[in-house]
């Protein structure tokens, strides 16, 4: 059984793949100080609570936080007796080309999403990931990663607004009932929500114009369902896009190793 781990700047997600489907998915705050033993106790408790019988034999990791990877490697070695595949490392092969400027390091989560997006929807895609940062990844007609756009994440923008302006409170993001707010919270929520709707629409329109071909826009990430309410923004929403990509990359590397 495969344990897939997606470590982002804010949260780390663990999921079990049995060869047919994902049996469970669990989320914890990303903390580079968390030890392998702590990971195992936490994960083992959750697996047993859902009455899943799991014999983990393989592990794959995608991490945008390099300091976390060491303890995840220890987890794989100590408790599952396996050497994990780490996306972005030289020994991890990808089933796609990466066409960026020489010397550029592309975030592993963006590569994983590209692999998954192409598998599910074909080429000529824009994948909008609402994470700590809001990223736009462009997938070529052949599935290659050809570049993208990075902008501040929704919650990051709200937190910056709260910290920089003493009179403004911390608020949760939600779709406001009207554009014009009649109190401070409504004003802030409207500015962020409709501001990001405008951001997504404009960036995607410019990408499409620059590429000169019809393109599908796929959304993913924690806040994607909120913006999915604006039906004209996206062609599809993929909740488990990153996990699907990790599973594909794991299988691809296993096949490559078997052929050597």
């Amino acid at each position: 059984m495969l344990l897939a781990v997606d470590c982002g700047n804010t949260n780390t997600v663990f999921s079990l793949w049995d060869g047919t489907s994902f049996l469970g998915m669990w989320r914890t705050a990303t903390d580079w100080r968390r030890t392998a033993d702590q990971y195992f106790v936490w994960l083992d408790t959750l697996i047993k609570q859902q009455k899943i019988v799991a014999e983990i034999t393989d592990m794959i990791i995608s991490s945008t936080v390099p300091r976390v990877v060491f303890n995840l490697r220890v987890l794989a070695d100590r408790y599952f007796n396996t050497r994990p595949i780490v996306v972005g490392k030289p020994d991890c092969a990808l089933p796609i080309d990466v066409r960026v400027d020489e010397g550029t390091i592309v975030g592993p989560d963006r590569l994983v999403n590209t692999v998954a997006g192409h598998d599910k929807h074909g080429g000529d895609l824009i994948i909008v990931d609402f994470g700590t940062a809001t990223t736009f990844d462009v997938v070529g007609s052949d599935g290659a990663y050809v570049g993208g756009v990075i902008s501040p994440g929704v919650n990051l923008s709200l937190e910056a607004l709260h910290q920089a302006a003493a009179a403004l409170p911390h608020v949760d993001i939600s779709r406001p009932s009207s554009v014009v707010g009649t109190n401070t919270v409504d004003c802030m929520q409207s500015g962020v929500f409709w501001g990001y709707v405008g951001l997504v629409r404009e960036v995607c329109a410019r990408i499409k114009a620059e590429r000169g071909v019809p393109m599908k826009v796929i959304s993913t990430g924690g806040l994607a369902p909120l913006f999915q309410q604006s039906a004209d923004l996206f062609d599809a929403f993929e909740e488990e896009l990153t996990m699907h990509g990790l599973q594909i990359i794991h299988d691809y590397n296993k096949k490559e190793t078997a052929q050597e």
Side-chain angles (χ1 to χ4, degrees), residues 5-8 61-69 72 86-87 107-109:
V5 183
D6 173 34
C7 177
I61 302 166
S62 168
S63 178
T64 58
V65 186
R67 297 177 77 179
V68 171
V69 175
L72 290 174
V86 181
V87 180
D109 55 330

Side-chain angles (χ1 to χ4, degrees), residues 32-168:
W32 64 268
R33 295 166 298 183
R34 186 172 287 117
T35 66
D37 302 326
Q38 289 173 315
Y39 278 123
F40 178 75
V41 170
W42 171 80
L43 185 61
D44 187 57
T45 300
L46 291 171
I47 290 174
K48 289 178 178 176
Q49 188 177 54
Q50 290 191 216
K51 298 181 180 179
I52 297 172
V53 179
E55 183 180 351
I56 296 170
T57 57
D58 296 90
M59 187 167 165
I60 185 167
I61 302 166
S62 168
S63 178
T64 58
V65 186
R67 297 177 77 179
V68 171
V69 175
F70 173 77
N71 282 324
L72 290 174
R73 284 185 181 273
V74 174
L75 171 70
D77 177 63
R78 180 178 299 168
Y79 289 102
F80 308 129
N81 193 31
T82 187
R83 183 173 183 269
I85 297 170
V86 181
V87 180
K89 297 299 182 182
D91 58 349
C92 177
L94 295 175
I96 59 165
D97 288 333
V98 181
R99 302 187 189 124
V100 295
D101 295 342
E102 187 175 352
T104 300
I105 298 175
V106 181
D109 55 330
R110 305 178 76 181
L111 298 176
V112 173
N113 285 348
T114 297
V115 170
H118 181 250
D119 181 72
K120 283 180 168 286
H121 299 281
D124 291 322
L125 304 176
I126 304 170
I127 300 174
V128 185
D129 189 347
F130 292 92
T132 304
T134 299
T135 58
F136 300 75
D137 296 316
V138 181
V139 184
S141 58
D142 61 348
Y145 178 86
V146 297
V149 176
I150 301 174
S151 60
V154 178
N155 284 322
L156 195 63
S157 295
L158 275 171
E159 187 63 28
L161 194 60
H162 166 62
Q163 290 183 359
L168 297 181

Side-chain angles (χ1 to χ4, degrees), residues 13-27:
V13 181
F14 292 73
S15 190
L16 282 175
W17 172 260
D18 68 354
T20 303
S21 61
F22 287 106
L23 302 181
M25 191 173 297
W26 305 278
R27 187 180 301 265

